[in-house]
């Protein structure tokens, strides 16, 4: 299972490729892709279907033996985007000596210094001319070799670098792409790469959504190979755990839902994010297809339960003062329930009790996380989704170190624990 996780992480450097890889696994498992522009048609017990939005979010449904209105649904939510750097339009900047760097903007909240002096690559989607203006074609791109690097300034020019340096998002984190070999390459290096990778003509390229990604593969480390090192553990590890549980759990009375959202790192307020009505509309369509009544959807919501799966902060052995004195989860200690008095997480005593009992039934340990009261925490998609679909739900995740670093650290045991808990939930 860990090898499959590592392969998934390596094949999913950005949201678009993560969504494609999840969709491919669903199709292999017999899930039917639904076009949201077309009528849903009749749905029956045991039916398996999924839909995508914007090429970057995925919603899978396995219809239960009993109607939605009678038993509700069991939903696991996660997000497939991670902090990175987006390539701007007209990105090439030719400098002295013919060195070309790319103009970028920050996506989400990365630890920018962790992106320095490591091999990087490009991944995302390229939009090319289609049948007409309203229907361009989308091509996914992943350059599978080291292509760029953001280089540090030598310590000799910045003697205070180890005392802490404020980084400029516009100046300091622009990656080097290459050196032009002749004037014909000026302003064309990036487009040449796209054309070569996708076998398309320059004049057919209309636009792109391209991002930087770590070119080093995910791996395990530690004296017992007990740790996982990879970019994008937040939150692709939860996406994959939910997928593994969905595909391995048996048919149940309750409808199973796996919702993989995009844009959590920027607030979720997009058509493919947790703040969108898209998921609710699909559930309404399924309820209507079963009963011919929208009332069935609202009954289902009241009987449903949501697990919002987004990673938690593991206790760091070098910074124990940053953590709550009595609620600091550790690597390898099992899934973590997240609480926040300001309601940044969906968890409350009832939903926490439900999830902890699921963990007990699955035979896995369970931990709690609360922020140190003097340290501001983040938020996630659970409370955003619950504000539009009033679901009972819990915010949880596996504990990781260096969240939002170019490479994060997680636990092998925690991933196995999480899949077991999710599978128990789907039963």
């Amino acid at each position: 299972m860990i090898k499959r996780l590592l392969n998934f992480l390596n094949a999913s450097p950005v949201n678009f490729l993560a969504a494609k890889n999840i969709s491919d696994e669903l199709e292999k498992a017999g899930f039917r892709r639904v076009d949201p522009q077309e009528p849903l048609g009749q749905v029956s017990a045991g039916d398996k279907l999924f839909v995508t939005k914007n090429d970057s979010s995925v919603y899978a449904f396995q219809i239960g033996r009993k109607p939605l209105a009678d038993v509700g649904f069991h939903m696991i939510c996660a997000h497939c985007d991670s902090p990175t750097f987006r390539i701007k339009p007209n990105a090439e900047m030719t400098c002295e000596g013919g060195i070309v760097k790319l103009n970028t903007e920050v996506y989400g909240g990365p630890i920018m210094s962790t992106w320095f002096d490591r091999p990087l690559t490009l991944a995302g989607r390229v939009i090319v001319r289609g049948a007409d203006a309203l229907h361009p074609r989308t091509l996914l791109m992943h350059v599978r070799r080291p292509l760029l690097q953001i280089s540090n300034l030598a310590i000799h020019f910045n003697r205070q670098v180890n005392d802490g340096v404020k980084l400029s998002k516009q100046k300091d984190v622009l990656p080097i792409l290459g050196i032009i070999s002749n004037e014909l390459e000026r302003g064309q290096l990036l487009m040449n790469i796209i054309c070569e990778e996708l076998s398309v003509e320059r004049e057919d390229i209309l636009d792109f959504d391209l991002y930087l990604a770590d070119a080093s593969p995910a791996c395990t480390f530690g004296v017992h190979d007990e740790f996982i090192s990879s970019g994008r553990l937040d939150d692709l590890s939860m996406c994959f755990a939910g997928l593994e549980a969905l595909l391995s759990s048996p048919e149940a009375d309750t409808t199973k839902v796996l919702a993989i959202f995009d844009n959590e790192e920027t607030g979720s307020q997009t058509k493919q994010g947790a703040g969108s009505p898209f998921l609710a509309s699909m559930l309404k369509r399924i309820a209507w297809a079963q009963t011919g009544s929208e009332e069935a959807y609202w009954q289902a919501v009241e009987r449903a339960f949501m697990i919002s799966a987004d990673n938690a902060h593991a206790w760091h052995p070098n910074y124990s003062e940053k953590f709550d004195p009595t609620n600091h989860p550790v690597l390898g200690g099992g899934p973590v329930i997240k609480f926040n008095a300001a309601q940044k997480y969906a968890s409350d005593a009832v939903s926490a009790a439900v999830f902890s009992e699921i963990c007990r039934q699955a035979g896995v340990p369970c931990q709690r996380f609360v922020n140190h009261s003097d340290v501001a925490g983040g938020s996630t998609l659970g409370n955003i989704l619950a504000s539009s679909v009033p679901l009972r739900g819990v915010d949880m995740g596996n504990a990781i170190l260096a969240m939002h670093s170019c490479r994060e650290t997680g636990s092998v045991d925690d991933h196995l624990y999480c899949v077991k808990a999710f599978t128990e939930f789907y039963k």
Side-chain angles (χ1 to χ4, degrees), residues 49-267:
L49 53 142
F50 76 98
V51 62
T52 63
K53 189 73 171 175
N54 188 53
D55 306 316
S56 64
S57 61
V58 185
Y59 312 88
F61 311 89
Q62 184 168 353
I63 308 303
R65 289 186 290 255
K66 294 185 178 180
L68 273 174
D70 294 344
V71 293
F73 49 87
H74 286 180
M75 179 189 298
I76 295 174
C77 305
H79 67 89
C80 61
D81 63 318
S82 300
T84 180
F85 297 84
R86 185 179 189 274
I87 308 303
K88 290 182 179 180
N90 305 311
E92 288 188 40
M93 305 169 73
T94 304
C95 309
E96 206 168 326
I99 293 177
V100 176
K101 61 184 179 180
L102 294 184
N103 194 8
T104 63
E105 61 179 326
V106 174
Y107 178 88
I111 304 175
M112 294 193 294
S113 62
T114 63
W115 288 75
F116 282 63
D117 302 319
R118 65 170 66 242
L120 303 173
T121 190
L122 285 174
R125 66 178 178 181
V126 176
I127 311 303
V128 299
R129 187 166 285 110
D132 56 62
L134 288 177
H135 299 90
R137 290 191 301 134
T138 297
L139 303 176
L140 300 185
M141 189 176 95
H142 179 192
V143 180
R144 294 180 178 271
R145 65 180 177 91
L147 187 64
L148 312 99
Q149 182 170 291
I150 303 170
S151 292
N152 256 305
L153 181 66
I155 193 171
H156 309 81
F157 301 117
N158 187 6
R159 296 289 184 179
Q160 291 75 43
V161 65
N162 292 323
D163 299 326
V165 174
K166 182 175 175 57
L167 295 173
S168 165
K169 296 178 182 178
Q170 184 58 67
K171 172 180 169 54
D172 296 319
V173 290
L174 304 186
I176 297 171
L177 177 62
I179 300 176
I180 58 173
S181 59
N182 57 67
E183 281 303 307
L184 293 177
E185 287 189 331
R186 185 178 293 272
Q188 298 299 315
L189 285 188
L190 179 57
M191 282 301 174
N192 289 346
I193 292 166
I194 295 173
C195 292
E196 181 181 341
E197 285 289 319
L198 300 179
S199 300
V200 295
E201 299 298 324
R202 170 67 183 85
E203 56 269 22
D204 289 332
I205 298 173
L206 302 177
D207 217 322
F208 56 74
D209 291 314
L210 294 177
Y211 298 85
L212 299 185
D214 184 10
S216 302
C219 65
T220 56
F221 73 99
V223 67
H224 305 297
D225 273 330
E226 62 265 58
F227 302 117
I228 301 170
S229 172
S230 175
R232 307 172 305 283
L233 286 176
D234 176 29
D235 193 35
L236 291 187
S237 61
M238 294 293 94
C239 294
F240 196 67
L243 178 66
E244 292 261 280
L246 177 67
L247 300 186
S248 63
S249 59
E251 186 178 342
D253 288 343
T254 306
T255 293
K256 306 173 196 176
V257 182
L258 177 66
I260 307 299
F261 295 105
D262 192 12
N263 303 132
E264 189 275 342
E265 300 293 355
T266 56

Side-chain angles (χ1 to χ4, degrees), residues 321-325 340-341 369-377:
E321 73 278 4
K322 294 291 186 181
F323 295 83
D324 183 78
N340 183 268
F369 171 82
V370 183
N371 279 303
H372 187 292
S373 296
D374 294 329
V375 178

Side-chain angles (χ1 to χ4, degrees), residues 95 190 209 283 307 320 399 408:
C95 309
L190 179 57
D209 291 314
L283 288 166
I307 294 176
S320 60
E408 299 159 328

